[in-house]
Amino acid sequence: MESRGGQGDSGEPEGESLSELLRSWRGRSDPRAFPGLAVPGRRSVGLSQREVARLTGVSERWYSSLERGNEANYSADFLDRLSSVLQLSRAERRALYLRAIGRPPALAAVPEAGSVAEMDEVLQQFLDNQSPNPAYVSDLAWNVIGHNEPLREWFPWAAHQANLVRWAFLNQEAREQLVNWREDWARPYLGQIRYARAHYPESAALLRLERDILAGSPDAQEMWGRREVYEHPDGDLRKLRLPYHRGQEVPVRIIALRPMRSDRIRVIVLMEAPGDATSG
């Protein structure tokens, strides 16, 4: 059954179904614009359902359910990443929201302008030089404002409206890809949010992040009550189970750095640690 169709009384066009819109938006997308998708000699045009799912960080089953028009708990974080992947206009993004969840989008969470200004060519070169290790720069509220190609290979969604904490809590795929999700990832993330909020109480982006996570995740609400406080990890060993590694568990060391010129951005390098596969 087609979800949320017909918005005539609200002043929105009744027009095409969500399925028709998504197929059209996929069909106009150029796979050559996405690293790793362009295949020499490829005859098909547009993105496949599997490719859209990969680029938005969800399973093909989850995305195809949306494209069939099935009602489900589609998060704003996922819909924003989908809007970015499909390069939707503001009007098209609004139509996606109305068809998928029956309401227009709220103000999008964006990186703080001051933090974005800190991301320059020198820092990007540093990220690129970390290859083959994935590396990225995030702002106070865990928005990814810079990354290298290996990070896109591990997390294809990272180039599209990427926020690490929103992904971890509001995307079901994250619970499968972040091994020991609750203890190694979720509780530390919440503790880091509490730590950052105490140090930067004026940050609207951090406040919005806290509210979004607690509103969107019952598990986060329960864990928040522990009142745990964590600093950002540096040298911690954790495990990932990513499609890039064909679902195999891969231990990684999280190396955290901070440029001397700014206390509002972080540089993170993920180092594979195969010798530590049984550690931690």
Side-chain angles (χ1 to χ4, degrees):
M1 179 177 177
E2 182 66 31
S3 72
R4 314 286 184 179
Q7 299 286 332
D9 292 340
S10 67
E12 296 295 332
E14 296 190 17
E16 296 89 352
S17 68
L18 177 61
S19 299
E20 292 170 324
L21 289 171
L22 286 170
R23 286 196 295 269
S24 175
W25 293 334
R26 276 199 299 111
R28 75 185 184 191
S29 301
D30 186 354
R32 293 172 298 181
F34 302 93
L37 293 188
V39 178
R42 175 175 176 169
R43 294 182 179 180
S44 62
V45 295
L47 294 171
S48 67
Q49 287 189 357
R50 177 175 298 181
E51 288 167 337
V52 172
R54 175 170 176 251
L55 290 167
T56 52
V58 300
S59 67
E60 184 177 1
R61 175 185 57 80
W62 182 251
Y63 173 74
S64 64
S65 178
L66 172 67
E67 191 162 306
R68 288 196 302 272
N70 296 335
E71 294 190 17
N73 187 27
Y74 303 110
S75 70
D77 183 59
F78 163 62
L79 294 177
D80 282 344
R81 289 200 307 274
L82 179 59
S83 297
S84 180
V85 167
L86 298 177
Q87 298 182 315
L88 302 187
S89 67
R90 188 169 74 171
E92 289 168 340
R93 176 171 172 260
R94 179 181 173 87
L96 171 64
Y97 265 75
L98 289 170
R99 296 298 190 189
I101 59 177
R103 61 172 175 79
L107 181 66
V110 296
E112 294 180 325
S115 298
V116 174
E118 299 287 352
M119 186 64 212
D120 58 17
E121 293 181 5
V122 174
L123 196 48
Q124 182 62 55
Q125 184 179 4
F126 177 84
L127 296 180
D128 294 337
N129 287 344
Q130 302 313 302
S131 184
N133 296 314
Y136 65 90
V137 176
S138 67
D139 67 8
L140 281 179
W142 284 270
N143 295 299
V144 177
I145 60 175
H147 59 276
N148 65 2
E149 184 171 350
L151 186 82
R152 292 196 302 272
E153 293 174 347
W154 284 32
F155 303 98
W157 52 267
H160 308 285
Q161 300 285 342
N163 182 283
L164 297 172
V165 178
R166 283 188 174 85
W167 175 74
F169 282 97
L170 303 180
N171 192 313
Q172 187 61 37
E173 305 294 322
R175 301 188 182 221
E176 301 174 9
Q177 296 179 19
L178 302 175
V179 177
N180 198 17
W181 174 82
R182 182 183 180 89
E183 300 302 320
D184 285 357
W185 301 92
R187 286 177 59 188
Y189 268 144
L190 290 175
Q192 290 166 51
I193 292 174
R194 181 173 266 117
Y195 179 88
R197 287 274 288 123
H199 283 73
Y200 302 95
E202 81 290 351
S203 173
L206 274 172
L207 175 60
R208 186 165 55 246
L209 175 67
E210 176 187 318
R211 289 176 174 173
D212 289 351
I213 296 306
L214 296 180
S217 171
D219 288 320
Q221 293 177 28
E222 182 271 319
M223 287 182 275
W224 189 254
R226 295 171 177 264
R227 305 192 191 286
E228 296 173 319
V229 181
Y230 290 87
E231 292 189 81
H232 199 287
D234 179 26
D236 284 16
L237 177 68
R238 297 181 186 175
K239 293 181 181 179
L240 298 169
R241 188 188 297 114
L242 304 176
Y244 178 79
H245 297 110
R246 298 194 173 115
Q248 298 296 313
E249 289 189 8
V250 174
V252 295
R253 289 280 177 194
I254 301 175
I255 307 302
L257 309 168
R258 179 157 276 161
M260 292 286 290
R261 67 192 181 194
S262 175
D263 63 351
R264 305 181 76 86
I265 61 176
R266 316 174 191 90
V267 180
I268 308 297
V269 181
L270 303 178
M271 295 177 56
E272 284 196 53
D276 293 316
T278 59
S279 303

